[in-house]
Amino acid sequence: MSEHQGSCHCGAIRLTLRDQPEEAGDCDCSLCRRTGGLWHYCSPSLVTVEGDAEGYVQGDCMITTWHCGMCGCTTHWTSIDLEYDRMGVNLRMFNPSLWQDLPRRFIDGASF
Ligand SMILES: [Zn+2]
């Protein structure tokens, strides 16, 4: 199984992804268009997050978006509903060789 290591800029938050992204989700919702994340979606069982991220919950949203309190990078999001077997990992925290050539999937997050 392929394993990929990523981190925020200062290194306080480290991500290990045991999955192979095949596309990069580019979302235009009110939060993502500001943070500029490129998302890989997978089961939380495939991701290890180390370090103390700070969470932000949008008023109308069922997810917590996590960022580093030191350098500010948005690293991942998790579902508030723990039954939902899905989370998002910001591919920009990883080496560009992992994601720069992936097809971009536009996610119309602004419309819902
Ligand atoms: Zn950081």
Side-chain angles (χ1 to χ4, degrees), residues 8-13 68 70-72:
C8 65
H9 191 262
C10 74
I13 316 258
C68 174
M70 209 100 78
C71 68

PDB file of all heavy atoms in Angstrom, residues 8-13 68 70-72, ligand 1:
ATOM      1  N   CYS A   8       1.899  20.573   7.620  1.00  0.00           N
ATOM      2  CA  CYS A   8       1.707  22.005   7.451  1.00  0.00           C
ATOM      3  C   CYS A   8       3.078  22.653   7.263  1.00  0.00           C
ATOM      4  O   CYS A   8       4.111  21.995   7.351  1.00  0.00           O
ATOM      5  CB  CYS A   8       0.980  22.589   8.664  1.00  0.00           C
ATOM      6  SG  CYS A   8       1.936  22.486  10.189  1.00  0.00           S
ATOM      7  N   HIS A   9       3.093  23.955   7.051  1.00  0.00           N
ATOM      8  CA  HIS A   9       4.363  24.625   6.725  1.00  0.00           C
ATOM      9  C   HIS A   9       5.388  24.513   7.848  1.00  0.00           C
ATOM     10  O   HIS A   9       6.565  24.256   7.611  1.00  0.00           O
ATOM     11  CB  HIS A   9       4.106  26.102   6.386  1.00  0.00           C
ATOM     12  CG  HIS A   9       5.292  26.776   5.795  1.00  0.00           C
ATOM     13  ND1 HIS A   9       6.155  27.556   6.552  1.00  0.00           N
ATOM     14  CD2 HIS A   9       5.787  26.759   4.542  1.00  0.00           C
ATOM     15  CE1 HIS A   9       7.123  28.001   5.764  1.00  0.00           C
ATOM     16  NE2 HIS A   9       6.921  27.527   4.536  1.00  0.00           N
ATOM     17  N   CYS A  10       4.931  24.689   9.096  1.00  0.00           N
ATOM     18  CA  CYS A  10       5.892  24.678  10.206  1.00  0.00           C
ATOM     19  C   CYS A  10       6.172  23.268  10.711  1.00  0.00           C
ATOM     20  O   CYS A  10       7.089  23.064  11.502  1.00  0.00           O
ATOM     21  CB  CYS A  10       5.392  25.569  11.349  1.00  0.00           C
ATOM     22  SG  CYS A  10       4.027  24.863  12.298  1.00  0.00           S
ATOM     23  N   GLY A  11       5.375  22.293  10.284  1.00  0.00           N
ATOM     24  CA  GLY A  11       5.635  20.911  10.661  1.00  0.00           C
ATOM     25  C   GLY A  11       4.949  20.458  11.939  1.00  0.00           C
ATOM     26  O   GLY A  11       5.113  19.314  12.360  1.00  0.00           O
ATOM     27  N   ALA A  12       4.172  21.351  12.573  1.00  0.00           N
ATOM     28  CA  ALA A  12       3.506  20.979  13.826  1.00  0.00           C
ATOM     29  C   ALA A  12       2.418  19.939  13.593  1.00  0.00           C
ATOM     30  O   ALA A  12       2.136  19.128  14.481  1.00  0.00           O
ATOM     31  CB  ALA A  12       2.907  22.224  14.495  1.00  0.00           C
ATOM     32  N   ILE A  13       1.794  19.986  12.420  1.00  0.00           N
ATOM     33  CA  ILE A  13       0.753  18.998  12.080  1.00  0.00           C
ATOM     34  C   ILE A  13       1.292  18.108  10.970  1.00  0.00           C
ATOM     35  O   ILE A  13       1.726  18.604   9.923  1.00  0.00           O
ATOM     36  CB  ILE A  13      -0.528  19.684  11.561  1.00  0.00           C
ATOM     37  CG1 ILE A  13      -0.869  20.876  12.435  1.00  0.00           C
ATOM     38  CG2 ILE A  13      -1.661  18.653  11.404  1.00  0.00           C
ATOM     39  CD1 ILE A  13      -1.906  20.736  13.390  1.00  0.00           C
ATOM     40  N   CYS A  68      -3.464  24.593  11.337  1.00  0.00           N
ATOM     41  CA  CYS A  68      -2.372  24.721  12.310  1.00  0.00           C
ATOM     42  C   CYS A  68      -2.452  26.085  12.984  1.00  0.00           C
ATOM     43  O   CYS A  68      -2.538  27.104  12.310  1.00  0.00           O
ATOM     44  CB  CYS A  68      -1.028  24.561  11.593  1.00  0.00           C
ATOM     45  SG  CYS A  68       0.379  24.863  12.688  1.00  0.00           S
ATOM     46  N   MET A  70      -0.127  27.538  14.502  1.00  0.00           N
ATOM     47  CA  MET A  70       1.161  28.213  14.371  1.00  0.00           C
ATOM     48  C   MET A  70       1.292  28.882  13.007  1.00  0.00           C
ATOM     49  O   MET A  70       1.473  30.085  12.908  1.00  0.00           O
ATOM     50  CB  MET A  70       2.262  27.166  14.538  1.00  0.00           C
ATOM     51  CG  MET A  70       3.544  27.679  15.104  1.00  0.00           C
ATOM     52  SD  MET A  70       3.664  27.314  16.856  1.00  0.00           S
ATOM     53  CE  MET A  70       4.122  25.585  16.762  1.00  0.00           C
ATOM     54  N   CYS A  71       1.210  28.078  11.943  1.00  0.00           N
ATOM     55  CA  CYS A  71       1.483  28.629  10.606  1.00  0.00           C
ATOM     56  C   CYS A  71       0.206  28.869   9.800  1.00  0.00           C
ATOM     57  O   CYS A  71       0.252  29.490   8.745  1.00  0.00           O
ATOM     58  CB  CYS A  71       2.427  27.708   9.829  1.00  0.00           C
ATOM     59  SG  CYS A  71       1.700  26.122   9.371  1.00  0.00           S
ATOM     60  N   GLY A  72      -0.941  28.393  10.300  1.00  0.00           N
ATOM     61  CA  GLY A  72      -2.206  28.745   9.666  1.00  0.00           C
ATOM     62  C   GLY A  72      -2.657  27.860   8.519  1.00  0.00           C
ATOM     63  O   GLY A  72      -3.751  28.055   8.002  1.00  0.00           O
TER      64      GLY A  72
HETATM   65 ZN    ZN B   1       2.006  24.650  11.072  1.00  0.00          ZN
END
